Amino acid sequence: MFHVVDHPCVKAKLTILRDRATGSKQFRECVEEITAFIAYEALKNLEVETVPVETPIASATGYRIRNDVVIVPILRAGMGMLDGLLRLVPDAKVGFVGLERDHETKLPHEYYCKLPAAGPDSVAVVVDPMLATGGSLAAAIDLLKREGFRQILVLAIVSSPEGRDAIEATSPEVKVYTGCLDAGLNENKYIVPGLGDAGDRIYGTL
Ligand code: URA
C-alpha cells in the first residue's frame, strides 16, 4: 500500500524543502516537522491499551500505545527524520541500518546494522526521506524481515513512481507513507523535481 499524505501543511513544508535557497538549519527543522505530519497519518493504526488516570476532577480511562515501536532510520539521511518521529512516540526503540551502493555490483551493501530484537507486537518504522530507486529501502525491508519483523511501515518525504513500484513488487504488504509522489528519476537517479540530495542538505555537506 502506497499512501500520499495529502495535507496543506505537508504541501507548504515540502515547498520550503524543495526551495534551493533554504539553508541547512531551516531544512533540518522542516524535515523534522513534516515527518511528524506524515507519522501522524502512518501511525493511526497502532494498537492502544487502557490505563487508569486520575484527573484533578475524577478517575478517567487513559490509553498507551501497546505496540513495541522500533524506528529504523536508513543512514545517513534517515537520521534527519528521527526526532520528528520520537516526538510522537517518545518510548520507541531505535535501530540503525547503514547501506551504501557497491560500485561494482551497483547493489546496496550493508555496512552497519544495529537492531533491537523483534517481538510479536513490534512495528518497525523505516525512515528515509527520499524513495528514489527503492534499492536501499528494499534491502532494509529484507533485512528487517530476516530479523523477524512482521509489521513494517515506511515513511518517506518525497517518492518516485519507480521507488513505489519497486517496493510494491517486492514487499506488497509493507505500507509506505510519503509526503508526495514526484514525476520520476533523472539519469543520476535523483528524484525530479525532488529537493536535491537530502543528506547533503540536512548536514550541510553540499
Ligand atoms: N537521494 C536523495 O537524497 N535525493 C534524491 O533525489 C534521490 C536519492
Side-chain angles (χ1 to χ4, degrees), residues 23-44:
S24 275
K25 179 177 182 290
Q26 194 186 8
F27 191 90
R28 257 196 314 275
E29 289 167 356
C30 208
V31 163
E32 204 176 307
E33 289 161 2
I34 201 170
T35 299
F37 278 104
I38 298 168
Y40 180 78
E41 182 77 16
L43 301 180
K44 68 178 177 218

Side-chain angles (χ1 to χ4, degrees), residues 77 129-133 185 188-192 194-200:
M130 309 303 280
L131 172 50
T133 62
L185 300 177
N188 296 318
K189 308 295 183 201
Y190 276 85
I191 300 179
V192 181
L195 46 76
D197 189 301
D200 281 346

Side-chain angles (χ1 to χ4, degrees), residues 20-206:
R20 63 188 306 161
T22 301
S24 275
K25 179 177 182 290
Q26 194 186 8
F27 191 90
R28 257 196 314 275
E29 289 167 356
C30 208
V31 163
E32 204 176 307
E33 289 161 2
I34 201 170
T35 299
F37 278 104
I38 298 168
Y40 180 78
E41 182 77 16
L43 301 180
K44 68 178 177 218
N45 292 320
L46 287 181
E47 293 167 30
V48 287
E49 58 193 4
T50 57
V51 286
V53 60
E54 296 295 324
T55 80
I57 311 295
S59 300
T61 303
Y63 300 90
R64 70 171 163 226
I65 293 170
R66 207 180 73 79
N67 294 106
D68 167 43
V69 177
V70 179
I71 305 169
V72 184
I74 299 184
L75 302 176
R76 119 188 110 135
M79 284 299 293
M81 298 173 74
L82 178 60
D83 286 347
L85 249 173
L86 281 171
R87 257 202 259 163
L88 266 70
V89 197
D91 294 329
K93 295 171 188 160
V94 182
F96 298 91
V97 175
L99 293 159
E100 66 191 354
R101 199 161 177 245
D102 185 295
H103 290 302
E104 279 179 16
T105 64
K106 312 280 186 245
L107 295 171
H109 161 73
E110 176 195 321
Y111 66 88
Y112 187 76
C113 179
K114 186 89 180 163
L115 295 168
D121 297 319
S122 295
V123 177
V125 185
V126 185
V127 292
D128 194 356
M130 309 303 280
L131 172 50
T133 62
S136 306
L137 181 58
I141 291 170
D142 276 354
L143 200 146
L144 287 166
K145 287 183 186 170
R146 280 202 307 277
E147 292 294 320
F149 286 90
R150 296 283 161 262
Q151 293 188 67
I152 302 174
L153 302 175
V154 172
L155 267 63
I157 296 175
V158 182
S159 298
S160 71
E162 293 88 334
R164 174 201 57 196
D165 295 349
I167 302 304
E168 279 183 347
T170 52
S171 293
E173 77 286 7
V174 169
K175 294 180 176 147
V176 179
Y177 291 84
T178 184
C180 65
L181 180 66
D182 274 11
L185 300 177
N186 68 13
E187 61 284 5
N188 296 318
K189 308 295 183 201
Y190 276 85
I191 300 179
V192 181
L195 46 76
D197 189 301
D200 281 346
R201 296 196 64 191
I202 291 168
Y203 296 111
T205 49
L206 292 162

